[in-house]
Amino acid sequence: PSGCPSCEVLKTGKASSCEVFEPHLGAYFEMRAIPRFDRDNRLSGLIHIARDISEKKKTEETLRLYQEALQSVYRMATARVSIKAACDEAAMSISKLLKVSHVAIHRITDEVVQLVSCHVDGGPREIDFFPIENCDCVTSKMLKIQAGGGGRTDEQMGKGMKGMACIPFVGVSGRVFGAIHVMDRDTRVFTEEDVRFVGIFARYITSEVEREVTETALRNALKMEAIGKLVVGFAHDVRNPLNAIMVISDALSQEFG
């Protein structure tokens, strides 16, 4: 077959290798064939070596995911997209790269929970499939990983979902701005690497939300300062003629006492 190390050795007389996935073992292997030659330099046999490279493949996949996430965040940061657009990009990337069926991003503004972005089966949806109020990761400010239901009801878990990870948006001050919920219909245990991957998007969105909140507070402060200056100026303008009237009244009172 194509790519078979043994076949390549027979053709070229040189060592050859390939990587294969063994579904029954659930592992990746590097299959290597090394030629053996006799004294007349004729091919006399092959040495076959199989090496488990599952950890290597896992590390490579993790690095690929992180690279994709960082590139996505870089695109958002350089394009200066809105928070809504950033959430849409994050939900799409998480859904595609983690191969999950459901991703929802919620934001909490003035204690009101709002759905910002939702992706189901790789496409955007406007319907919120998961009530964030049922997730204690937001109130506890801790990430939550749930697999196999864990006794949670459909309303708590999201109807038909069998695996969930929740990564909250926690600002520098400890304030919770929302959360990313990642869910799958298949029973799945989300790994620490998965959570770190989603965390890259969570940190970026958190920083953008904090920046927006700070800018809004600054604008409001400047407005109040401007209003304060206007009030002070108005009071000064009114006070000036009043002072003159009081001086004149006092003088007339003394004159005609």
Side-chain angles (χ1 to χ4, degrees), residues 68-91 93 200-202 204-205 208:
E68 291 275 1
L70 292 171
Q71 287 176 346
S72 180
V73 168
Y74 178 77
R75 286 194 300 269
M76 290 186 282
T78 53
R80 299 298 298 172
V81 299
S82 65
I83 291 177
K84 165 63 176 170
C87 289
D88 288 340
E89 171 80 13
S93 296
I200 293 173
F201 294 99
Y204 174 73
I205 294 172
E208 287 300 290

Side-chain angles (χ1 to χ4, degrees), residues 1-195:
S2 177
C4 172
S6 299
C7 296
E8 290 298 316
V9 171
L10 293 175
K11 287 180 183 178
T12 65
K14 297 179 180 179
S16 179
S17 64
C18 71
E19 295 178 356
V20 296
F21 178 72
E22 171 50 56
H24 299 291
L25 298 176
Y28 285 92
F29 291 90
E30 179 189 51
M31 308 301 294
R32 187 171 182 83
I34 303 173
R36 295 276 296 181
F37 298 95
D38 60 18
R39 292 180 180 180
D40 297 323
N41 202 32
R42 291 178 299 185
L43 183 65
S44 61
L46 300 175
I47 298 175
H48 292 89
I49 301 174
R51 183 167 64 96
D52 188 340
I53 57 171
S54 298
E55 285 301 317
K56 173 191 171 186
K57 298 295 289 186
K58 180 180 177 182
T59 302
E60 290 175 350
E61 178 63 13
T62 299
L63 291 174
R64 185 187 70 83
L65 287 177
Y66 287 0
Q67 183 179 22
E68 291 275 1
L70 292 171
Q71 287 176 346
S72 180
V73 168
Y74 178 77
R75 286 194 300 269
M76 290 186 282
T78 53
R80 299 298 298 172
V81 299
S82 65
I83 291 177
K84 165 63 176 170
C87 289
D88 288 340
E89 171 80 13
M92 180 181 66
S93 296
I94 293 168
S95 176
K96 174 185 175 183
L97 296 172
L98 287 187
K99 297 179 176 62
V100 293
S101 58
H102 293 65
V103 179
I105 300 179
H106 295 83
R107 181 176 176 182
I108 302 174
T109 306
D110 298 328
E111 298 184 358
V112 177
V113 179
Q114 295 177 321
L115 176 70
V116 181
S117 185
C118 177
H119 265 61
V120 177
D121 295 326
R125 292 282 184 89
E126 297 298 328
I127 301 175
D128 192 358
F129 61 85
F130 180 73
I132 194 174
E133 296 85 350
N134 291 331
C135 184
D136 55 1
C137 77
V138 175
T139 55
S140 65
K141 304 179 185 179
M142 298 291 289
L143 68 89
K144 184 71 72 175
I145 300 175
Q146 193 77 36
R152 297 166 73 94
T153 65
D154 282 345
E155 287 73 20
Q156 291 173 316
M157 191 70 172
K159 192 172 181 61
M161 298 299 104
K162 295 181 179 179
M164 181 189 79
C166 171
I167 294 84
F169 303 146
V170 182
V172 176
S173 64
R175 177 181 173 184
V176 178
F177 293 99
I180 299 178
H181 285 88
V182 183
M183 295 184 174
D184 207 2
R185 293 191 184 94
D186 297 328
T187 301
R188 176 170 179 171
V189 177
F190 290 95
T191 65
E192 291 183 7
E193 287 77 14
D194 294 335
V195 172

